């Protein structure tokens, strides 16, 4: 899983089938496993099986109830690890800690005490051989957690929730923080009543690699097309495609079922893009025919 890929996080409130999420481009899922020491997500087995069916990477998260208690944090980590083992979550995946305000999770302790408890929880997960990360809202992380200590200990490991009014991953309004591995940018991704997340670092580093091939003569590069067609996407004639500027910032939307003259070709954010229209903005080639 490379950076700038989409994941959904699901609990018992979402579907057990990942079909619609996968169809809209999600390449991974983060399934709620546990909460406190008392709850196991009853939908998790089917959600995980469905994600595997659609070849989506599977991570898991735990909803904290321990607040600033180191003792309770360790107990919850052990319950979480037992469920991860029961559900056969690969130790090459992330076990995330969801630490946010709730009736069961008191966040008003000191930043030092909160951080100490969070680090105690994460240490148990790391000791068990999993990758570990911390989720919360940008405000909570800034006000109630010393994230510099978290990042110093575990590197780029923060999963931050901050919702721009557009509901899309507009990096012009990204909540700039050190150590961000993943950004949750909406709670209703593609109108599917599910959180939408985009990765900012490689979460998966163990994907199977193709066997080495013999060195062959380089093939001539395909010519840039003179025109491209943007078809109706996902069966929705009202779906619009967003253009980029040359630095990769999102710009205006264009309608589908339209044809455009191509002025140039360039790679932006790892995507092949075509310069189109009188405004000379860039259209990702993946949306074209």
């Amino acid at each position: 899983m490379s950076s700038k890929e989409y994941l959904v996080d699901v609990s018992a409130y979402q579907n057990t089938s990942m079909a619609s999420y996968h169809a809209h481009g999600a390449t991974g899922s983060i399934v709620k496993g546990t909460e406190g020491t008392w709850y196991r997500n009853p939908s998790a087995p089917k959600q995980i099986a469905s994600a595997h069916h659609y070849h989506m990477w599977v991570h898991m998260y735990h909803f904290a109830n321990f607040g600033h208690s180191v003792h309770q944090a360790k107990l919850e980590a052990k319950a979480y690890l037992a469920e991860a083992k029961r559900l056969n979550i690969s130790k090459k995946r992330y076990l995330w800690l969801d630490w946010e305000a709730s009736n069961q999770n008191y966040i008003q302790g000191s930043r030092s005490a909160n951080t100490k408890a969070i680090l105690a929880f994460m240490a148990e997960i790391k000791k068990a051989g999993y990758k570990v990360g911390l989720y919360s809202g940008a405000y909570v992380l800034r006000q109630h957690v010393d994230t510099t200590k978290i990042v110093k200990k575990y590197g780029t490991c923060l999963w931050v929730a901050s919702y721009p009014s557009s509901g899309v991953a507009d990096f012009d309004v990204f909540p700039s923080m050190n150590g961000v591995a993943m950004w949750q940018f909406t709670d209703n991704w593609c109108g599917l009543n599910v959180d939408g997340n985009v990765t900012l670092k490689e979460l998966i580093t163990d994907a199977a690699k193709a066997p080495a091939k013999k060195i062959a003569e380089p093939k001539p590069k395909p010519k840039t097309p003179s025109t491209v067609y943007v078809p109706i996407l996902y069966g929705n004639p009202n779906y619009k495609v967003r253009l980029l500027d040359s630095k990769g910032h999102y710009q205006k939307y264009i309608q589908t079922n339209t044809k455009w003259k191509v002025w140039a070709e360039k790679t932006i954010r790892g995507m092949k893009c075509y310069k189109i229209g009188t405004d000379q903005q860039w259209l990702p080639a993946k949306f074209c025919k």
Side-chain angles (χ1 to χ4, degrees), residues 84-145:
K85 182 177 180 180
R86 187 181 79 87
L87 295 173
N88 198 29
I89 302 297
S90 169
K91 288 193 175 182
K92 297 177 181 179
R93 308 293 171 252
Y94 276 80
L95 293 190
W96 298 93
L97 166 62
D98 180 347
W99 191 89
E100 58 183 285
S102 72
N103 291 334
Q104 290 76 35
N105 196 57
Y106 178 77
I107 69 170
Q108 299 302 324
S110 69
R111 291 179 82 231
S112 175
N114 292 340
T115 304
K116 187 175 180 181
I118 289 167
L119 285 170
F121 181 99
M122 296 176 74
E124 293 294 320
I125 306 305
K126 182 70 173 179
K127 185 168 64 176
Y130 289 94
K131 298 178 181 180
V132 64
L134 171 65
Y135 166 89
S136 198
Y139 176 83
V140 171
L141 289 173
R142 291 186 178 116
Q143 297 298 317
H144 298 284
V145 182

